[in-house]
Amino acid sequence: MSQWDIRHVIHDLQQVRHDWRESQHRIKEFGGRELPSKEALKEILNDLCGVLFPMRLGPSELRQESEDYYIAYTLDRVLNHLYRQITLTLNYESKRLNLQQNHLHQQELAQQIVQNFADELPNIRRLLDADVLAAFDGDPAARNVDEVLICYPGIFAIIYHRIAHQLFKHVPLISRIISEIAHSATGIDIHPGAKIGKGFFIDHGTGVVIGETCIIGEKVRIYQAVTLGAKRFEIDDQGLLKKDYARHPIVEDDVVIYAGATILGRVTIGKGSTIGGNVWLTHDVEPYSQILQSHSQQKSNHSAI
Amino acid sequence: MSQWDIRHVIHDLQQVRHDWRESQHRIKEFGGRELPSKEALKEILNDLCGVLFPMRLGPSELRQESEDYYIAYTLDRVLNHLYRQITLTLNYESKRLNLQQNHLHQQELAQQIVQNFADELPNIRRLLDADVLAAFDGDPAARNVDEVLICYPGIFAIIYHRIAHQLFKHVPLISRIISEIAHSATGIDIHPGAKIGKGFFIDHGTGVVIGETCIIGEKVRIYQAVTLGAKRFEIDDQGLLKKDYARHPIVEDDVVIYAGATILGRVTIGKGSTIGGNVWLTHDVEPYSQILQSHSQQKSNHSAI
Amino acid sequence: MSQWDIRHVIHDLQQVRHDWRESQHRIKEFGGRELPSKEALKEILNDLCGVLFPMRLGPSELRQESEDYYIAYTLDRVLNHLYRQITLTLNYESKRLNLQQNHLHQQELAQQIVQNFADELPNIRRLLDADVLAAFDGDPAARNVDEVLICYPGIFAIIYHRIAHQLFKHVPLISRIISEIAHSATGIDIHPGAKIGKGFFIDHGTGVVIGETCIIGEKVRIYQAVTLGAKRFEIDDQGLLKKDYARHPIVEDDVVIYAGATILGRVTIGKGSTIGGNVWLTHDVEPYSQILQSHSQQKSNHSAI
Amino acid sequence: MSQWDIRHVIHDLQQVRHDWRESQHRIKEFGGRELPSKEALKEILNDLCGVLFPMRLGPSELRQESEDYYIAYTLDRVLNHLYRQITLTLNYESKRLNLQQNHLHQQELAQQIVQNFADELPNIRRLLDADVLAAFDGDPAARNVDEVLICYPGIFAIIYHRIAHQLFKHVPLISRIISEIAHSATGIDIHPGAKIGKGFFIDHGTGVVIGETCIIGEKVRIYQAVTLGAKRFEIDDQGLLKKDYARHPIVEDDVVIYAGATILGRVTIGKGSTIGGNVWLTHDVEPYSQILQSHSQQKSNHSAI
Amino acid sequence: MSQWDIRHVIHDLQQVRHDWRESQHRIKEFGGRELPSKEALKEILNDLCGVLFPMRLGPSELRQESEDYYIAYTLDRVLNHLYRQITLTLNYESKRLNLQQNHLHQQELAQQIVQNFADELPNIRRLLDADVLAAFDGDPAARNVDEVLICYPGIFAIIYHRIAHQLFKHVPLISRIISEIAHSATGIDIHPGAKIGKGFFIDHGTGVVIGETCIIGEKVRIYQAVTLGAKRFEIDDQGLLKKDYARHPIVEDDVVIYAGATILGRVTIGKGSTIGGNVWLTHDVEPYSQILQSHSQQKSNHSAI
Amino acid sequence: MSQWDIRHVIHDLQQVRHDWRESQHRIKEFGGRELPSKEALKEILNDLCGVLFPMRLGPSELRQESEDYYIAYTLDRVLNHLYRQITLTLNYESKRLNLQQNHLHQQELAQQIVQNFADELPNIRRLLDADVLAAFDGDPAARNVDEVLICYPGIFAIIYHRIAHQLFKHVPLISRIISEIAHSATGIDIHPGAKIGKGFFIDHGTGVVIGETCIIGEKVRIYQAVTLGAKRFEIDDQGLLKKDYARHPIVEDDVVIYAGATILGRVTIGKGSTIGGNVWLTHDVEPYSQILQSHSQQKSNHSAI
């Protein structure tokens, strides 16, 4: 007998799992786990960062003469790893939806997704180069572009987002895990569905939330604690939340949004506008507008707060 | 002699430590470290997540047929590890308080704490299942319950909180370390003393602060950057901070609190109420209220911000 | 041939890197990487924490009798590691600025920086002891000073800041990486250039931003989501951002700034003042002021938000 | 271009591999590796040692109260790992022999092999207990049975052998890898095909060689550098080595063979016999014989050797 | 139910363990493991090698300027580790012998053993320096003394032996584990009880066996596969093996023993003698003798072997 | 003060090191370690095995389609690592010999050595393919060529030897470390200086010793415990050992040497000869000879041994 009396705990946990699976119609469960692995995806993203920026985010001993060897081997390997996670995920999704399993089709689809993803990597790098330049240009504290790439949480978040976004259409679960890895590391929460133009810069970043159906133009700059969220949730005829409809802001080119601003709903912030700190905004804004919060404050010595 | 001239540094550090220990009345210090270890607690929490959700947070190679073997071994092992950390902590606390050391009593107490904790695990799992369903029901972006469990920072935070809360009464130091592990990973800061009902959901979560004496009902939903804090700190007769009195809000069932709202003091938010984004609230709210911030803004093109 | 068609991807990535390097005037690139390594700095900071607080942040098996052995060896080793990172960084900086490389001079400079840094460690420890006491005194939830040291994110952030600040003048890139390690772990973003007096306490901390040219006095206390930022960025004659001028607040001794307050520009918050939660402040405040936000709210049952 | 001129090396290595594969009729090679992994087998054997002797070769923190939990989980897990290696091996063998692939059949066969192996584990433990006692009884330097189990290379070798032998019939490649792991660790080379009775003891052991078709009775004791080998290799009609025929000694119960003795061919060493050190033996020996080497030596001072 | 039918296996293993423990009079077993750990001892020996030869076997990044810091910290730490293993072992031994447990006495004894061991380290280093010089002087293939120290298995074995021998009197089980670590790495099997004078050199070494009661003088040189063993085992009145009596050779100063020689029993090899390869020797040898094997061989073309 | 009284130990160890360095004329020692690292060389050899046999000794997840990517990256990387170890070694050697340091020359020399080594790799692979076939052809227990490559210690030893031999001329210290890694793993001790023709096979192998100046032809096969050694060591005019002269056997093509045979001195074993087990041989042997040991034995029941 164990020092700890755990038999009843094991039994009760069994019962809770049983209840859960029954409530989720999963009594006949899979043999092995078919969810993608967060740890595997962390490694995949690390390798992809090395492929995209070999001399700055690759292995510290890498020499420039060997860049292409490193990239070829790492890219080939990381695509195999990604393929495995995608296959797991497609399997899981079709089981969850009680679709008839067609492994051959799933494998072909996974291959297609991976190859398309690989083809997009040079474009992703181009976008990210523009993001780095935008950060350097937009922050008086930035000393050089390499500091921006290796230090700035906003850059970390956008690298992960651009990768996650590329995978979002076919394997949203994987994208979501990737974006939460970045969220945990940076405090910046960008839904992988959001569309973001080039030259995007988030400074400081903690508390930023960018929703699933956001559309952000080029050269947009935002600061910490900015929310681009949904105004309210629509309910369908059965009283359930409607999912999958456009409910987050459109932010046009060259907009700047200062810290703590909250923009909610499918509104459009016109090109070149500036949204002040802590502004609360739920309607459209014309191009080249400047929106400020009215800051009425009382100042009183000796009064308690 | 060393390349670095460090003898005086070592000496000066000795002196500073001496001063510190003297100021803290600890000149006669312990032999070895008696503080619990953050690294050990991280592993314990990982194992507990596997025990609670074996096929989703357990080892990726686990098969459902082997669940109970895995749970029995892991639970037994993790309780031993927890027992060791608790024994360290009880020791530390009694030394700190200059209590007479009674190792036998401490061991019995530690055993009791661990066994009670084990007995509560099935209940904790049931609460967490309700939390997962609440998240799925409350977020239009959620695709399925497994995505919620493995991705959402709010779920991570509540798993850690429910475990920390269970240990809070007897070993608050351990609870506090656990809650800070979750805070660091998610940006969500829930004090382990807070009482939280089932079906709790925090969306996005970065910047949420929930204070020690909060009482939160069932099916409450809150968003990023919400503070449930103390209004002001009371001072006792010697001019020192009063500790350990009810100073944080009571939030009743079915309340929703939107992003950035700040609720301070021992106020009660009545059942079914909705608190709007960025609202600043220091008084009670009747059931089924809706509290909005007045958003007066100036809009002016061409003006500087 | 590979399962994946990656030859064109490799080629296109080559082209993007070429374009980037050309745009950055770096076609004749270095052989090996010359950027400091985030992983190396993480280990260095861990070791420095052990040197500063051996019995609380050092190896868990350490005994007090062996403290000085541990400190001597670890300090010597960590200074060598730091020296290597600093040498890399000085090299990188002089290449980036197209300075004539003078390795001998760089090594002497690196040695000087490291020795000075070592000499400052006892002072840093003294400052941190005061910070720990300030946290204990300022938080009713704090049970003892050791809990504060090992749990509180605000303490983690200030340890890293005081180390980073010491290195900021000569190797800002390294300082910046250190401060981003702390930012990622705590959600607290303190620029390594900020000057902070002793007895500094940040509670909860997520979302705090403290800018490069801030000057903060003694015994200042701030809460989560406080911003001490720049009001606007000045543009020089060529239309580029001016860098390196005083643009962040001065906060005098004994000031308390509550959660969510935003203070922008080179303003001075006078000694002993209290800034209320969510206050937006862009002007000087006299000593012993209390600044509150006017909280006009509409309360309406049954209305939608 | 690389610092190293490796293109021609890569090309030439390609050519050599091509030549090899052509010579081995393997131009159409498998996609992935299908050989069992030595590293995986090392872990499997470690786990099996823990299952067989939990309190002596299991994890050092294991408590006796938890033995069965540990065994159940570890056994289940290790059988899954073994199943995977066996499946790989069966696949490989059928490809190598150009058999038609029948994955379903292979999986069933692998399951059968693994289940049979599991069923035999208690018998293996019984045999090993007898081996440990034999070692303790036979070595004046042995202080207790636990020292024998955890220190003696002869025990290590026989544990690995009894496991490898059990798998030899169906997956000889895996058995061979296991026996070479033991050979490398101990210098004792026992072919997994050898049949060895209970109570077997090898002292010191370095240089012992026991051939594939040996049959060894109960309570046999042998010393370092003993060879139980084949006398000569038979050639078949095509001039190739005959494989798979009985060509090694039969050693009956209670035989002792001293260090350096060499016994070659299908000879029988009768029950209870003693073979002296360095004896060279190629013929049968009657029961209860004592075979000594004639040691003629010259002794001469001052002569060179 | 598991994929594998393992319940009966677990049950049968229980039964075998029960039978074993009953036969060994251990039904009332300890709670936790009380055997020393081979892995822990491997680390301890690694650290001791670093303490003895810091610039050659210590950490590769060590600088000579920091030697003493490294040694002080490592020695202090390794003595603590050794103390723990010795305490475990003394406990185990007293339980095994059913001695009354006296923890206080055991701790004092363990402290005494460890301190004495530490005091002997400089002498051990002196002996090893002489061993290294002897190897360099005795091997025409040796290029320099550092090559000898870091490459030669004979040096590895003698380092481990001199450490094991120092611990042999009080904790023979630990010594035995240490000597088997060296045996596994080198094929050289020196019983920790053997007394070996300075300037000892074993070349090649595989298959060397040196028994428990050997006494070896100064400047002795031996080659691979030499056995210094017991001639026969004496039986006591109950028919059991006699243990603990002098049964292995005495080898006086300046003796050379060539490869494969076997010397058995309590014989004395007189000072300055040379024993030829493969010689079998069971009697005393006068000083300055040269013993050769008579090598009668048949040479015959065309005959089979 | 430490629990352990180690100050005098540290001091005495200092003194011993001082004495050693003085005796070795090294009082003015190097700053950092300049000896090659065994751990680094282990990794280098692992990588080289992968480069030579990617699908059998490379990473287990490698796919044949990706072989060349893997090889290019790994080869480039491993050559850089080897270059570093060679540079260290050349430095060390020139300091040891008090040569004037010429870093530029050493770097060029190191580059030359590494490039030549890379150029030889395809030839090494060809030789090893022949070795594998020889093992398969020569062992009735061998089931297929892949088993031979991944299991046989003789193959492991010859892979390491062919690599070490290639480096022997310029960096003998590195070669020696490599050959001792193989010796430790296999019990086979081949000096890196030995010249060995293709199709070489060592069966079982434990105890084999092959000396520095051996010359071995093609298709030679040897068994465990064979020694190809020096007969006696020559002394020069100063009474020191002569180093670097031909003192080991020449073994011509197609020779077979059975277990335990000892062949000493610069003798020639003629083509196609067979040397029987345990033979002791110190003279030339004509081609196609068969040398057997005369095995005179006494057989006597009931007599003691």
Side-chain angles (χ1 to χ4, degrees), chain B residues 45-273:
Chain B
L45 268 286
N46 264 339
D47 280 342
L48 285 172
C49 286
V51 165
L52 289 168
F53 300 97
M55 294 306 294
R56 289 176 285 176
L57 302 181
S60 69
E61 61 169 24
L62 187 64
R63 301 175 59 77
Q64 193 166 328
E65 299 87 332
S66 315
E67 275 182 336
D68 284 334
Y69 296 133
Y70 163 74
I71 288 173
Y73 174 56
T74 307
L75 180 54
D76 180 80
R77 192 164 52 90
V78 80
L79 294 180
N80 283 328
H81 291 177
L82 184 59
Y83 173 76
R84 209 171 308 152
Q85 295 300 315
I86 289 176
T87 310
L88 272 177
T89 307
L90 294 177
N91 251 326
Y92 164 78
E93 293 289 352
S94 70
K95 278 199 183 160
R96 190 174 62 84
L97 303 171
N98 289 317
L99 298 181
Q100 203 183 350
Q101 291 283 76
N102 183 334
H103 283 291
L104 199 65
H105 172 70
Q106 279 169 14
Q107 285 174 21
E108 275 170 23
L109 179 55
Q111 281 208 330
Q112 193 64 41
I113 296 169
V114 171
Q115 183 66 52
N116 289 350
F117 175 76
D119 295 344
E120 279 304 307
L121 284 171
N123 291 335
I124 289 176
R125 163 76 199 244
R126 262 185 219 286
L127 289 169
L128 292 170
D129 281 349
D131 297 334
V132 167
L133 286 177
F136 177 67
D137 291 343
D139 180 10
R143 273 164 186 73
N144 63 74
V145 288
D146 297 327
E147 177 186 346
V148 166
L149 182 68
I150 66 178
C151 294
Y152 277 45
I155 293 297
F156 186 101
I158 193 69
I159 295 174
Y160 276 57
H161 172 72
R162 296 205 184 280
I163 289 169
H165 182 65
Q166 184 64 30
L167 297 165
F168 180 64
K169 187 174 162 193
H170 291 294
V171 279
L173 180 52
I174 285 180
S175 297
R176 190 65 193 254
I177 295 174
I178 294 171
S179 67
E180 284 302 336
I181 294 169
H183 184 191
S184 176
T186 64
I188 298 170
D189 182 356
I190 311 179
H191 194 285
K195 292 189 174 61
I196 302 182
K198 76 176 179 185
F200 184 61
F201 174 42
I202 301 172
D203 203 3
H204 307 299
T206 308
V208 164
V209 176
I210 298 177
E212 178 177 2
T213 63
C214 277
I215 298 172
I216 296 178
E218 299 193 354
K219 299 210 162 217
V220 169
R221 195 162 87 230
I222 74 179
Y223 289 82
Q224 70 269 22
V226 163
T227 296
L228 304 178
K231 193 174 173 187
R232 102 187 50 184
F233 300 150
E234 300 185 13
I235 307 293
D236 67 12
D237 300 344
Q238 276 101 29
L240 296 173
L241 274 184
K242 277 179 65 177
K243 302 205 167 189
D244 271 331
Y245 63 100
R247 60 196 182 279
H248 301 101
I250 295 168
V251 178
E252 296 183 347
D253 298 352
D254 301 312
V255 166
V256 179
I257 308 175
Y258 284 99
T262 302
I263 306 177
L264 302 179
R266 190 53 158 194
V267 303
T268 297
I269 309 300
K271 175 174 172 147
S273 295

Side-chain angles (χ1 to χ4, degrees), chain D residues 150-176:
Chain D
I150 68 178
C151 293
Y152 278 46
I155 293 298
F156 186 101
I158 192 71
I159 294 173
Y160 276 56
H161 172 73
R162 296 202 184 283
I163 289 169
H165 182 66
Q166 184 62 30
L167 297 166
F168 181 63
K169 188 173 160 195
H170 291 295
V171 279
L173 180 52
I174 284 179
S175 297
R176 190 65 192 254

Side-chain angles (χ1 to χ4, degrees), chain D residues 36-46 78 81 85 181:
Chain D
S37 148
K38 187 187 283 190
E39 289 315 308
L41 287 167
K42 275 187 182 174
E43 278 187 39
I44 285 169
L45 267 287
N46 264 340
V78 80
H81 291 177
Q85 295 299 317
I181 294 169

Side-chain angles (χ1 to χ4, degrees), chain D residues 51-65 67-68 71-73 75-76 79-80 83 110-112 114-115 118-123 125-126 128-130 132-133 136-147 150-153 156 184-186 203-207 221 223-224 231-232 258-259 276-278 293 295-305, chain E residues 2-6 8-10 12-17 19-21 23-24 26-38 92-93 96 168 172-173 176-177 180 183-185 187-189 191 206-210 212 227 231-233 241-245 247 258 260 262 274-281 283-294 296 304-305:
Chain D
V51 166
L52 289 168
F53 300 97
M55 293 307 293
R56 289 176 285 175
L57 301 181
S60 69
E61 62 168 25
L62 187 64
R63 301 175 59 78
Q64 193 167 326
E65 299 87 331
E67 274 182 337
D68 284 334
I71 289 173
Y73 174 55
L75 181 54
D76 181 79
L79 295 180
N80 283 327
Y83 172 76
Q111 281 208 330
Q112 192 67 40
V114 170
Q115 184 66 52
D119 294 346
E120 279 305 306
L121 284 172
N123 292 335
R125 163 76 199 245
R126 264 186 219 284
L128 292 170
D129 281 350
V132 166
L133 287 177
F136 178 67
D137 292 343
D139 179 11
R143 273 164 186 73
N144 64 74
V145 289
D146 297 327
E147 176 186 345
I150 68 178
C151 293
Y152 278 46
F156 186 101
S184 176
T186 64
D203 203 3
H204 307 299
T206 309
R221 194 162 88 229
Y223 288 83
Q224 69 269 23
K231 195 174 172 188
R232 103 189 49 186
Y258 285 100
N278 280 8
Q293 190 181 8
H295 294 289
S296 48
Q297 283 161 0
Q298 300 168 320
K299 176 179 179 181
S300 61
N301 287 340
H302 313 302
S303 77
I305 58 164
Chain E
S2 162
Q3 171 177 23
W4 309 111
D5 185 10
I6 64 175
H8 66 286
V9 181
I10 294 168
D12 292 353
L13 285 169
Q14 250 176 0
Q15 188 58 48
V16 192
R17 289 201 308 277
D19 294 350
W20 170 260
R21 285 166 185 164
S23 79
Q24 300 294 316
R26 291 188 186 173
I27 289 304
K28 294 183 181 175
E29 189 64 69
F30 331 122
R33 176 141 80 161
E34 306 209 346
L35 290 165
S37 149
K38 188 187 282 189
Y92 164 79
E93 293 288 353
R96 190 173 62 83
F168 180 64
L173 180 52
R176 190 66 194 253
I177 295 174
E180 285 301 336
H183 184 191
S184 176
I188 297 170
D189 182 357
H191 194 284
T206 309
V208 165
V209 176
I210 298 177
E212 178 177 2
T227 296
K231 194 174 171 186
R232 101 187 52 184
F233 299 150
L241 276 182
K242 280 179 64 179
K243 303 205 166 189
D244 270 332
Y245 63 100
R247 60 195 183 279
Y258 284 99
T262 302
T274 300
I275 311 300
N278 281 7
V279 162
W280 177 275
L281 199 62
H283 53 72
D284 287 358
V285 167
E286 288 179 29
Y288 303 104
S289 305
Q290 301 221 14
I291 308 296
L292 299 182
Q293 191 182 7
S294 67
S296 47
I305 59 163

Side-chain angles (χ1 to χ4, degrees), chain E residues 12-290:
Chain E
D12 292 353
L13 285 169
Q14 250 176 0
Q15 188 58 48
V16 192
R17 289 201 308 277
H18 178 85
D19 294 350
W20 170 260
R21 285 166 185 164
E22 203 169 50
S23 79
Q24 300 294 316
H25 314 297
R26 291 188 186 173
I27 289 304
K28 294 183 181 175
E29 189 64 69
F30 331 122
R33 176 141 80 161
E34 306 209 346
L35 290 165
S37 149
K38 188 187 282 189
E39 290 315 307
L41 288 167
K42 276 186 183 174
E43 277 186 41
I44 286 169
L45 268 287
N46 265 341
D47 280 343
L48 286 172
C49 286
V51 166
L52 288 167
F53 300 98
M55 293 307 292
R56 289 175 285 176
L57 302 181
S60 68
E61 61 169 25
L62 188 64
R63 301 177 59 78
Q64 193 166 327
E65 299 87 332
S66 315
E67 274 182 338
D68 284 335
Y69 297 134
Y70 164 74
I71 289 174
Y73 174 54
T74 306
L75 180 54
D76 181 81
R77 193 164 51 90
V78 80
L79 295 180
N80 283 328
H81 290 177
L82 185 58
Y83 172 76
R84 209 172 308 152
Q85 295 299 316
I86 288 176
T87 310
L88 271 177
T89 306
L90 294 177
N91 250 326
Y92 164 79
E93 293 288 353
S94 71
K95 279 200 183 158
R96 190 173 62 83
L97 302 172
N98 289 314
L99 298 180
Q100 205 183 350
Q101 293 282 77
N102 184 334
H103 283 291
L104 199 65
H105 173 71
Q106 279 170 14
Q107 284 174 19
E108 274 171 24
L109 180 55
Q111 281 209 330
Q112 193 65 39
I113 296 169
V114 171
Q115 184 65 53
N116 289 349
F117 176 76
D119 294 346
E120 279 304 307
L121 284 172
N123 291 336
I124 288 175
R125 163 76 199 243
R126 262 186 218 284
L127 288 170
L128 292 171
D129 282 349
D131 298 332
V132 167
L133 286 177
F136 178 67
D137 291 343
D139 180 11
R143 272 164 187 74
N144 64 74
V145 290
D146 297 328
E147 177 187 345
V148 166
L149 182 69
I150 66 178
C151 293
Y152 278 46
I155 293 298
F156 186 101
I158 193 71
I159 295 174
Y160 276 56
H161 173 72
R162 295 204 185 282
I163 289 168
H165 181 67
Q166 184 64 30
L167 297 166
F168 180 64
K169 187 174 161 194
H170 291 295
V171 279
L173 180 52
I174 285 180
S175 297
R176 190 66 194 253
I177 295 174
I178 294 171
S179 67
E180 285 301 336
I181 294 169
H183 184 191
S184 176
T186 64
I188 297 170
D189 182 357
I190 311 179
H191 194 284
K195 293 189 171 64
I196 302 182
K198 77 175 178 186
F200 184 61
F201 173 42
I202 300 172
D203 203 3
H204 308 299
T206 309
V208 165
V209 176
I210 298 177
E212 178 177 2
T213 63
C214 277
I215 299 172
I216 297 177
E218 299 192 354
K219 299 211 161 214
V220 170
R221 193 162 88 231
I222 74 179
Y223 288 82
Q224 70 269 22
V226 163
T227 296
L228 304 178
K231 194 174 171 186
R232 101 187 52 184
F233 299 150
E234 300 186 13
I235 307 293
D236 67 13
D237 299 344
Q238 277 102 27
L240 296 173
L241 276 182
K242 280 179 64 179
K243 303 205 166 189
D244 270 332
Y245 63 100
R247 60 195 183 279
H248 300 101
I250 296 168
V251 179
E252 296 184 348
D253 298 353
D254 301 313
V255 168
V256 180
I257 309 175
Y258 284 99
T262 302
I263 307 177
L264 302 179
R266 189 53 157 194
V267 301
T268 297
I269 310 299
K271 175 175 174 148
S273 295
T274 300
I275 311 300
N278 281 7
V279 162
W280 177 275
L281 199 62
T282 57
H283 53 72
D284 287 358
V285 167
E286 288 179 29
Y288 303 104
S289 305
Q290 301 221 14

Side-chain angles (χ1 to χ4, degrees), chain C residues 45 49 52 117 124 127-128 131 153-168 174-183 186 188-197 200 202 210-216:
Chain C
L45 268 286
C49 285
L52 288 167
F117 175 77
I124 288 176
L127 288 170
L128 292 170
D131 297 332
I155 292 298
F156 186 101
I158 192 70
I159 294 174
Y160 276 56
H161 173 72
R162 294 204 184 282
I163 289 169
H165 182 66
Q166 184 63 30
L167 296 165
F168 180 64
I174 285 179
S175 297
R176 190 65 193 254
I177 295 174
I178 294 171
S179 67
E180 285 301 335
I181 294 169
H183 184 190
T186 64
I188 298 170
D189 181 356
I190 311 179
H191 194 286
K195 292 189 174 63
I196 302 181
F200 183 61
I202 301 172
I210 299 176
E212 178 177 3
T213 63
C214 277
I215 298 172
I216 297 178

